[in-house]
Amino acid sequence: MKLANIFLILIYVYNIVSVLILIFVKRSDTRVIFAWLIVFLFLPYIGFIFYFLIGSKYKMRVMSKKYGMSEIEEKHNKALDKQIYDISADKIKFKEIETEKFRDLIILNSKNAMSYFTQNNNVELLISAQENFSHIFEDIKNATKSVEVLYYIFRAKDNVGKEFISLLIDKANQGVKVTLIYDGIGSLHTHMRDFKGLKKAGGHVYRFLPSIVRSVLLVNYRLHRKLVIVDGKIAYTGGINVGDEYFGLKKINKPWRDTTIRLTGDSVLSLQTRFWTDLVFLQNQNFRKKKKAKFMVDEKVLNSFYSPIEEGNLGVQILSSGPSSRNDTIKDAYVKMITSAKKYLYIQTPYFVPDKTILESLRLAAACGVDVRIMLPGIPDKKPIYAITLLNVAKLLNDGVKVYLHSGFLHAKTIVIDDQVSTVGTANIDIRSFSLNYETNAFIYNNEFAIKCRDIFLDDIKDCTIFNAEIYSKRGLWKKVYESIWRFIAPIA
């Protein structure tokens, strides 16, 4: 037998093995399995290569274990285990009586996402890039110890990027410890040389993933978090990245509507720990030898888990998820929020490509009389995903779910229920955010803050048009074909 034939047979066997693993070992969502089976069917000799590059999450779990920093997580988990016991045993008194109704959600997030529940927080809602960066830049100017920045998109050549870097250089020159992380795929046109001045001033800059080879092999995984932490006391997270488009300065998706939050109090330490863990993951990969990065963690800071900061009275949990997570933690929390809603459920998301669990949860919530409303962009940035988004929400219209299309590009990722619980963060309602991206969301248990989220949603409706079954039925034949094609690809896109 010729060598070429043997090679083709081996490749085909690898394809069969990949299919068997996908079906019997991975136990993935059936839509994901079906999408990959189509890939293997039409690309029988190279399908397994695509699966290795963008389908399997096993390699990310191995890397997280190899390059992680167990010391940070062990100290965090020790405090968390005690808190889970205290909450389950009814030993923790909630500052708001209504929070008691969501004890099961808090316990779920604690166990599922290893998320510490704190009650001494203030959270400020910011609904534009102008408002967001005005606060961030002011806080950075007042920084005395450290500034830690992590963005999926950091456009260093845009006006806001230049201003951001200039400010970080000033702080680094003042002796403030400055650390910046950006995602290499999200910030495709940003390069290390753009931060030359910052590094010269003593700042530290890291790219996810640092190795070009790993960036190719792990191209499907994105560090989609957005974090700014100042002096370990103030933190920001939400949907806004560093780029001029977030100010509505680019015609293609103007106007731009987004949401972030500014946090102070105990919850900042959870975000600080998240940043440290991501930082160590990248630091360790920079060492060619089998030598882990020497990353010192201040014991006094970690001990503050046991010593609450008297900052405010809002309950907050910080949830993180990613391809190395055991469960789709943020998705699970979303499902629990949906099923917990009794009066209303308001959702803002730029992309809506959920799995069957979320679709059924929304359908059942509406069937139970819950006022379910979903707000989406009226101007898409990714037409294939937008087509699938409209297809998915169209399935819910006959169940009583109300859908609104914003006049511009809506990039906010928020959910609020019953004037009691809300979440603001980086995760979209799609399979990519739930399973493939590294995300961070804040879950806030507070009546006053939830009402603010509710009122902003209702105010945003003024800039929306209603999307209904009649409008959707008028789409042309080409759009129907287009949707059908992308419907199969969406679960792995």
Side-chain angles (χ1 to χ4, degrees), residues 149-155 181-188 190 207-208 219-227 238-242 246 351 382 411 413 426 428 432 437-439:
V149 177
L150 188 161
Y151 278 104
Y152 171 61
I153 296 174
F154 195 109
R155 301 196 192 284
I181 300 172
Y182 69 96
D183 183 86
I185 301 298
S187 307
L188 201 57
T190 298
R207 181 174 70 101
F208 179 87
V219 67
N220 204 34
Y221 306 109
R222 318 283 165 74
L223 188 61
H224 197 247
R225 309 193 223 274
K226 296 94 180 171
L227 296 175
I240 299 176
N241 287 290
V242 179
Y246 295 87
Y351 315 111
K382 300 173 183 176
H411 193 250
K413 305 103 167 31
T426 68
N428 303 306
R432 166 164 289 284
N437 289 346
Y438 289 95
E439 307 279 4

Side-chain angles (χ1 to χ4, degrees), residues 19 28 30 40 122 139 180 186 202 222 240 246 345 415 417 463:
V19 170
S28 304
T30 52
F40 288 131
N122 282 321
D139 285 334
L180 185 148
R222 318 283 165 74
I240 299 176
Y246 295 87
L345 166 69
I415 301 177
I417 63 171
D463 296 319

Side-chain angles (χ1 to χ4, degrees), residues 37 111 118 155 158 172 186 191 212 225 282-285 290 348 355 369 402 470 479:
L37 289 178
K111 293 181 177 179
T118 61
R155 301 196 192 284
D158 281 9
H191 307 283
I212 295 177
R225 309 193 223 274
L282 296 177
Q283 282 182 326
N284 285 335
Q285 292 176 63
K290 293 181 179 180
Q348 289 182 316
D355 61 7
K402 301 181 184 70
E470 183 181 354
K479 281 192 175 181

Side-chain angles (χ1 to χ4, degrees), residues 381-447:
D381 67 332
K382 300 173 183 176
K383 291 185 179 181
I385 302 301
Y386 192 67
I388 304 303
T389 290
L390 297 183
L391 175 65
N392 283 318
V393 292
K395 297 175 183 177
L396 299 169
L397 293 174
N398 291 332
D399 297 304
V401 175
K402 301 181 184 70
V403 178
Y404 302 89
L405 302 182
H406 197 271
S407 60
F409 183 64
L410 178 75
H411 193 250
K413 305 103 167 31
T414 68
I415 301 177
V416 58
I417 63 171
D418 297 350
D419 290 353
Q420 297 300 330
V421 183
S422 49
T423 179
V424 179
T426 68
N428 303 306
I429 299 182
D430 61 14
I431 296 171
R432 166 164 289 284
S433 277
F434 294 150
S435 187
L436 300 176
N437 289 346
Y438 289 95
E439 307 279 4
T440 299
N441 268 54
F443 283 71
I444 300 118
Y445 306 84
N446 179 263
N447 170 252

Side-chain angles (χ1 to χ4, degrees), residues 173-367:
N173 283 327
Q174 294 171 20
V176 174
K177 185 176 181 180
V178 176
T179 309
L180 185 148
I181 300 172
Y182 69 96
D183 183 86
I185 301 298
S187 307
L188 201 57
H189 299 292
T190 298
H191 307 283
M192 276 293 177
R193 61 177 176 270
D194 296 322
F195 304 100
K196 184 178 179 180
L198 177 56
K199 290 189 285 186
K200 187 177 180 180
H204 302 276
V205 182
Y206 299 87
R207 181 174 70 101
F208 179 87
L209 294 149
S211 164
I212 295 177
V213 174
R214 290 198 183 100
S215 294
V216 173
L217 293 177
L218 305 173
V219 67
N220 204 34
Y221 306 109
R222 318 283 165 74
L223 188 61
H224 197 247
R225 309 193 223 274
K226 296 94 180 171
L227 296 175
V228 176
I229 305 164
V230 179
D231 287 343
K233 296 179 179 179
I234 304 167
Y236 293 82
T237 191
I240 299 176
N241 287 290
V242 179
D244 287 349
E245 66 264 39
Y246 295 87
F247 289 82
L249 298 178
K250 296 186 179 181
K251 293 182 180 180
I252 191 171
N253 40 30
K254 180 181 180 180
W256 191 289
R257 168 69 181 84
D258 220 324
T259 300
T260 60
I261 50 176
R262 179 183 186 271
L263 304 102
T264 55
D266 285 346
S267 60
V268 175
L269 181 57
S270 294
L271 289 168
Q272 178 94 75
T273 305
R274 177 71 270 160
F275 183 90
W276 283 341
T277 306
D278 289 342
L279 175 60
V280 170
F281 178 76
L282 296 177
Q283 282 182 326
N284 285 335
Q285 292 176 63
N286 278 334
F287 288 81
R288 294 184 179 180
K289 298 179 181 179
K290 293 181 179 180
K291 178 181 178 182
K292 288 196 172 184
K294 299 292 184 181
F295 190 81
M296 302 304 294
V297 180
D298 190 339
E299 292 288 340
K300 293 180 181 178
V301 174
L302 286 171
N303 283 338
S304 65
F305 271 123
Y306 302 100
S307 306
I309 302 170
E310 296 302 327
E311 178 67 30
N313 60 1
L314 278 72
V316 175
Q317 279 183 302
I318 303 298
L319 271 66
S320 297
S321 67
S324 57
S325 302
R326 183 168 55 90
N327 299 314
D328 294 339
T329 54
I330 292 178
K331 187 203 84 170
D332 292 345
Y334 280 0
V335 171
K336 184 59 181 174
M337 280 187 74
I338 294 169
T339 57
S340 297
K342 298 294 185 290
K343 298 177 181 178
Y344 74 84
L345 166 69
Y346 296 163
I347 298 173
Q348 289 182 316
T349 180
Y351 315 111
F352 188 76
V353 190
D355 61 7
K356 189 175 181 180
T357 304
I358 286 187
L359 280 173
E360 286 299 301
S361 298
L362 290 168
R363 184 184 67 81
L364 290 173

